Amino acid sequence: MRKPIIAGNWKMHKTRDEALQFVYSVNMKVPSKEYVESVVCAQSPVLRDLVKRQGDNLRIGAQNMHYLDSGAYTGEISAPLLEDVGVSYVIIGHSERRAYYNETDAAINKKLHQAFRYGITPILCVGESLETREAGETDAFVKKQVVADLKGLGSEQVKELVIAYEPIWAIGTGKTATAEMANDTIKAIRNVVRDLYDEETADTMRIQYGGSVKPANVDELLSMSDIDGALVGGASLDPDSFLVLVNAAVKK
Ligand code: PGA
């Protein structure tokens, strides 16, 4: 049995006050971590404040990280610092970073190794463009990403890793992949991991769906065999909406 994980990706939203207000209002209401992992990934300057105030059942994540410990990389964030502030998760390779900041699979691979070195659980994002989907090349495309991104990781690490399958055309567009479509691609990703590692690793690793997940569609998505949770942008900003999503995962 894989424990579902719901992660809010706040992107470049919320001031410090707004972020703290969110944590205060959901802290006592998120379901037990025995049933679901509930995470919010915030902008870096507020991470320490949120970690200090996270309740037992809520965890805080970052949205990006460099693959080196330190150096002359203006504007970057290091894993040692994230570990130091007590962050539990880090989103790696989000499609917005791949598109706007030219993140390559090679850099993403190094970031995954770095996250494990510092005990931070990576949420690795993969997913295809509309063009790729329409050309019928989705499975081949995500396979290529997964193979390149996981290079050199051991099976114990891959078991801990979370993958978020996020079709680019479904992010922030209101268009969701149908639950079957999402489940099929997630199964294909699990098969890639099965081929690269083994049955146990593939069955243990959690794969989320992401892209316009909201209270109205979360139940259907989570009812699918291979969807182990969701990475949620827009619908994670409002505390009530976030609570609906994490509670939906309890029923899984
Ligand atoms: P969305 O974003 O839920 O707003 O579509 C998802 C994501 O980018 O992780």
Side-chain angles (χ1 to χ4, degrees):
M1 270 301 276
R2 297 182 293 264
K3 193 195 287 187
I5 169 165
I6 303 290
N9 173 12
W10 286 350
K11 307 190 181 183
M12 203 170 69
H13 294 288
K14 291 195 188 293
T15 61
R16 178 173 175 274
D17 273 357
E18 288 164 353
L20 285 173
Q21 210 46 58
F22 179 101
V23 167
Y24 291 139
S25 58
V26 303
N27 248 345
M28 306 301 289
K29 296 184 191 152
V30 281
S32 166
K33 61 184 178 217
E34 255 184 74
Y35 307 115
V36 54
E37 273 169 53
S38 305
V39 183
V40 288
C41 300
Q43 296 182 74
S44 300
V46 81
L47 290 172
R48 180 64 184 154
D49 284 332
L50 299 186
V51 167
K52 277 206 245 165
R53 289 161 180 92
Q54 70 191 2
D56 274 356
N57 300 315
L58 185 69
R59 284 296 168 267
I60 307 303
Q63 299 173 8
N64 176 41
M65 182 195 84
H66 201 275
Y67 53 77
L68 293 174
D69 282 0
S70 62
Y73 298 99
T74 302
E76 287 291 335
I77 303 143
S78 74
L81 178 58
L82 289 180
E83 181 200 37
D84 198 19
V85 304
V87 156
S88 309
Y89 295 85
V90 60
I91 298 172
I92 300 288
H94 191 279
S95 60
E96 286 153 13
R97 297 213 52 92
R98 291 179 189 254
Y100 308 145
Y101 305 99
N102 302 316
E103 278 198 20
T104 61
D105 286 313
I108 289 163
N109 174 250
K110 289 188 201 169
K111 291 181 181 200
L112 293 181
H113 283 276
Q114 180 74 340
F116 283 117
R117 237 172 259 132
Y118 285 88
I120 303 167
T121 303
I123 300 175
L124 164 68
C125 301
V126 297
E128 82 289 359
S129 65
L130 189 56
E131 212 182 358
T132 303
R133 164 73 54 182
E134 284 174 347
E137 287 162 7
T138 297
D139 287 4
F141 182 84
V142 294
K143 176 178 180 177
K144 208 165 149 242
Q145 287 184 318
V146 170
V147 170
D149 296 345
L150 301 190
K151 203 169 156 204
L153 293 178
S155 58
E156 290 313 308
Q157 294 174 320
V158 175
K159 279 180 200 166
E160 275 177 43
L161 173 81
V162 178
I163 293 184
Y165 165 58
E166 299 204 307
I168 296 167
W169 48 271
I171 296 175
T173 57
K175 281 189 205 158
T176 331
T178 65
E180 286 75 21
M181 219 187 249
N183 201 46
D184 285 349
T185 308
I186 286 176
K187 275 188 188 166
I189 294 170
R190 220 180 277 290
N191 285 335
V192 174
V193 173
R194 190 169 286 119
D195 291 347
L196 288 174
Y197 295 89
D198 51 49
E199 194 76 32
E200 195 195 338
T201 307
D203 287 345
T204 307
M205 186 195 58
R206 289 165 308 165
I207 309 181
Q208 303 171 306
Y209 167 76
S212 299
V213 176
K214 47 185 183 278
N217 60 23
V218 70
D219 287 327
E220 197 195 350
L221 287 161
L222 293 183
S223 73
M224 304 306 291
S225 64
D226 280 66
I227 303 182
D228 303 320
L231 182 59
V232 189
S236 74
L237 293 169
D238 173 68
D240 291 335
S241 164
F242 181 76
L243 287 169
V244 173
L245 303 175
V246 291
N247 278 301
V250 175
K251 291 181 252 154
K252 178 146 176 98

